[in-house]
Amino acid sequence: TFTNQEILTNIGFLILLTLGSGLFMFLTRRTIIVSSRLVEFDLREAYIRAVEKQSMSFFHTHPTGTLMSYVSNDIAAAREFMGPAIMYAANAITTFSFALYFMINLNPLITLFALIPLPFIGISTYFLGHKIHNAFKGVQEEFSKLTTQAQETFSGIRVIKSYNREEFENQEFILKSKEYYKKNIIQTRLQALMMPVFIILIGFSHLIVLGYGGYLVINHQATMGQLTQFFIYLNLLIWPVAAIGWVTNLVQRAAASAGRLWKIINFEPEIIDNAKGNSFKINDGNIKFDKVGLTYKNQTNKALNNINLEIGKGQSLGILGGIGSGKSSLINLIPRLYDITEGILSIDGKNIQEISFDSLREAVGFVPQDTFLFSLTIMENIKFGKPDATEEEIIRASQMAELHNEVLQFPDKYDTILGERGISLSGGQKQRLALARAILKNPKILILDDALAAIDAITEERILKTLREFMTGRTTILISHRISTLKEADQIISLENGEITEKGTHNELLKAGGKYARIAELQEIESELENL
């Protein structure tokens, strides 16, 4: 029997233990959950840095939707392991240890019998966990396919509507959704199986304690109070055992996601910045191709072969060529979007591979044929390459690109928010906005990859007239299928099958009577017919 004082002391002790338990639970949650969010932040940063440093060929084999699925699903799964999984595992181990300690103190033999099912729990965890791991890996891969399908559908919605392919895309999405659903069902069934297995095995522990403990009580070898305590401690073990199953799920999901993430984070880019931190700066923009060749990965045919070319400071180069002639391949070598596989490419007498990415790409203003605009305002898109540009500088660049007057027609003018990829602008407006962005950057080397193709001839002439003044003192490369765009260039080359077939000024090439001259004659006739 206990005195009133002893009872009150025990009650006070229990209250203190409960308060202490709550306090430590709060501190544990705050420490581990906050830490897991910091880990998630670091993972996202590491992931985006890993993706940004990849070469162009990487994105040929990793669709946008797949890369997005890593961000939305895999990083979250890894965070759950670092947070809830560790926290509940620690809580389960602590509870299990205390309950086991008190059970052994009460009766070691009953404790031994009560723990007989535990090895079976471990075996079940191992086999089910392995299956859950494979199932979740399948779910993530299917989610990547689904995300890719959705992303491509949304990005290409105008083409889909133009070709009346909504129903086809809908059916494709439904098929992928069904596959994703099936994989999820398999995973869910495996997860759902784990908890009942654990509960059944814990139930066996209850039966063993009830049977053997009851026998001891009948034979006066244990008291009813001790048996009751055993059941209380055994019930305390239910959560740790249940947590084993839940934590196992999280660990297996995290393992599958981490495997996918590490492949991206540890993926070595083909083009490496060997000169990072190098102080070399491009001042003149003198570009020299010396027997340069390019062969793309997994291809046997050369995209470029034996290119010998020099573009001096302040000079302009015009490039003419048909589809697949190597025009874009040639200019993509200058900012090192791809690396040469033969010869030497140098700028200002320095091998391009010995110039840091920062210095090289800071000196290049690139307007690609496929214009990309962000879902920002017109002003934010123009100053993308020069974030600290003043409003006057932005307007000046816009005027040079013949865009300013059209921007003023928009209700919000330069604060007009563009849709995805600039969907609210026409093709010509997109190209002029991209041109304004490059002009504002004030680069040493300006590259225009058929950047005026969507602009009418009259507007093009006005832009070129303005650009000629801007091009003074800077190296400029123009790619175009229009002779009118190229004829004022200091030198012009004609490309065919990755090789230079003609080189010279406009007049020299006309006198040569080659392909350039024939195209010029055809375009002149076409222009005369349009003016009739």
Side-chain angles (χ1 to χ4, degrees):
T1 60
F2 293 96
T3 64
N4 289 338
Q5 184 62 40
E6 288 174 331
I7 292 172
L8 290 173
T9 301
N10 287 333
I11 290 172
F13 183 64
L14 287 172
I15 292 171
L16 286 174
L17 282 176
T18 304
L19 291 173
S21 174
L23 176 63
F24 280 110
M25 175 62 76
F26 166 73
L27 293 174
T28 302
R29 289 180 67 88
R30 190 178 69 172
T31 302
I32 295 179
I33 297 299
V34 169
S35 297
S36 72
R37 291 295 181 182
L38 292 173
V39 169
E40 180 184 20
F41 175 82
D42 289 340
L43 269 177
R44 290 187 188 280
E45 186 177 27
Y47 176 76
I48 196 66
R49 286 185 182 277
V51 171
E52 284 179 338
K53 73 179 182 181
Q54 296 304 323
S55 311
M56 295 302 295
S57 57
F58 171 86
F59 298 97
H60 296 166
T61 55
H62 294 79
T64 303
T66 299
L67 294 174
M68 290 301 296
S69 73
Y70 288 112
V71 178
S72 58
N73 263 22
D74 291 290
I75 290 178
R79 192 266 309 164
E80 285 181 351
F81 166 71
M82 296 303 299
I86 290 177
M87 182 180 68
Y88 290 121
N91 180 258
I93 291 169
T94 304
T95 304
F96 188 88
S97 300
F98 273 102
L100 191 61
Y101 170 76
F102 288 119
M103 287 169 70
I104 291 171
N105 280 343
L106 277 175
N107 194 309
L109 199 55
I110 297 179
T111 303
L112 181 63
F113 279 108
L115 296 180
I116 288 174
L118 287 184
F120 297 100
I121 292 176
I123 293 169
S124 302
T125 300
Y126 174 78
F127 283 107
L128 285 174
H130 181 69
K131 289 184 177 295
I132 289 170
H133 171 84
N134 291 333
F136 186 74
K137 189 176 180 182
V139 167
Q140 293 296 75
E141 289 171 354
E142 209 58 49
F143 182 75
S144 295
K145 295 177 184 176
L146 188 66
T147 308
T148 300
Q149 167 76 16
Q151 186 270 331
E152 289 181 349
T153 300
F154 298 148
S155 297
I157 191 65
R158 286 203 287 192
V159 176
I160 291 168
K161 284 182 174 293
S162 299
Y163 284 85
N164 194 30
R165 297 281 284 179
E166 293 95 334
E167 187 58 32
F168 173 81
E169 292 297 329
N170 184 43
Q171 292 302 318
E172 285 290 303
F173 188 79
I174 288 172
L175 286 174
K176 286 183 170 59
S177 294
K178 284 181 177 177
E179 286 301 313
Y180 180 58
Y181 161 79
K182 289 175 184 176
K183 295 287 178 69
N184 264 296
I185 289 297
I186 292 170
Q187 181 203 349
T188 303
R189 283 173 178 167
L190 288 169
Q191 288 177 334
L193 184 61
M194 187 169 279
M195 191 61 69
V197 168
F198 291 159
I199 296 301
I200 289 169
L201 293 172
I202 284 290
F204 278 122
S205 291
H206 279 89
L207 288 174
I208 291 169
V209 170
L210 181 61
Y212 183 68
Y215 170 80
L216 294 180
V217 170
I218 291 169
N219 290 280
H220 306 291
Q221 295 177 22
T223 65
M224 184 63 72
Q226 289 177 323
L227 186 60
T228 303
Q229 287 182 71
F230 248 96
F231 276 110
I232 292 171
Y233 292 133
L234 203 57
N235 286 332
L236 284 176
L237 293 181
I238 292 177
W239 160 243
V241 171
I244 290 172
W246 191 63
V247 168
T248 299
N249 290 336
L250 293 180
V251 170
Q252 296 300 338
R253 289 178 59 183
S257 294
R260 285 159 50 86
L261 282 171
W262 296 143
K263 283 182 181 179
I264 300 296
I265 293 174
N266 296 322
F267 196 98
E268 283 297 326
E270 289 182 12
I271 302 174
I272 300 172
D273 189 358
N274 296 315
K276 191 171 185 178
N278 193 312
S279 60
F280 180 83
K281 293 290 182 184
I282 296 172
N283 293 314
D284 297 333
N286 185 299
I287 305 171
K288 185 176 181 181
F289 293 81
D290 185 8
K291 298 179 181 178
V292 167
L294 171 66
T295 305
Y296 289 116
K297 188 178 180 181
N298 300 325
Q299 292 189 12
T300 53
N301 296 331
K302 290 183 178 181
L304 294 172
N305 182 43
N306 196 34
I307 301 295
N308 291 287
L309 181 67
E310 185 167 1
I311 316 162
K313 175 185 177 181
Q315 289 188 338
S316 57
L317 171 72
I319 303 176
L320 181 73
I323 296 171
S325 60
K327 304 186 300 296
S328 295
S329 295
L330 181 68
I331 60 170
N332 282 335
L333 296 177
I334 296 171
R336 282 192 75 190
L337 298 181
Y338 294 95
D339 256 348
I340 62 174
T341 50
E342 297 174 14
I344 297 173
L345 171 58
S346 59
I347 299 179
D348 287 356
K350 188 85 167 177
N351 189 320
I352 197 171
Q353 296 185 351
E354 296 175 7
I355 304 174
S356 69
F357 284 164
D358 289 343
S359 178
L360 178 63
R361 292 169 183 173
E362 183 66 29
V364 176
F366 196 175
V367 185
Q369 184 177 5
D370 183 18
T371 303
F372 185 91
L373 301 178
F374 297 91
S375 300
L376 303 170
T377 64
I378 292 175
M379 180 173 288
E380 287 170 324
N381 268 284
I382 293 175
K383 68 177 186 178
F384 184 77
K386 189 180 179 183
D388 58 347
T390 63
E391 186 174 347
E392 289 74 17
E393 290 175 321
I394 292 168
I395 291 174
R396 174 60 183 152
S398 181
Q399 288 172 334
M400 292 177 69
E402 293 290 330
L403 182 66
H404 178 67
N405 292 334
E406 292 180 34
V407 171
L408 296 181
Q409 302 302 314
F410 294 122
D412 296 323
K413 300 180 174 56
Y414 282 92
D415 291 324
T416 300
I417 297 177
L418 305 180
E420 186 178 5
R421 291 175 173 264
I423 196 171
S424 54
L425 299 181
S426 68
Q429 288 171 333
K430 288 180 187 178
Q431 286 195 327
R432 281 177 283 160
L433 196 155
L435 179 60
R437 182 164 61 193
I439 291 171
L440 181 65
K441 189 179 178 182
N442 195 28
K444 300 289 183 184
I445 301 169
L446 178 64
I447 302 174
L448 306 180
D449 183 4
D450 217 0
L452 307 176
I455 301 170
D456 63 88
I458 297 173
T459 305
E460 180 193 31
E461 182 58 37
R462 290 203 304 268
I463 293 173
L464 288 173
K465 186 177 179 180
T466 307
L467 278 181
R468 286 185 190 108
E469 180 183 345
F470 178 76
M471 287 159 54
T472 304
R474 77 186 75 242
T475 306
T476 307
I477 300 174
L478 302 108
I479 292 178
S480 180
H481 62 279
R482 292 175 181 170
I483 299 296
S484 59
T485 305
L486 306 176
K487 65 182 182 180
E488 297 294 333
D490 294 314
Q491 63 174 319
I492 302 168
I493 61 171
S494 179
L495 283 174
E496 194 169 344
N497 297 322
E499 296 184 347
I500 296 175
T501 55
E502 294 179 277
K503 184 193 294 186
T505 63
H506 175 69
N507 290 331
E508 288 171 348
L509 293 175
L510 288 180
K511 289 178 182 178
K515 186 176 181 180
Y516 181 90
R518 291 196 300 275
I519 293 174
E521 184 180 357
L522 288 172
Q523 289 187 7
E524 187 176 349
I525 294 171
E526 183 182 350
S527 178
E528 290 175 358
L529 289 173
E530 287 178 354
N531 293 328
L532 289 177

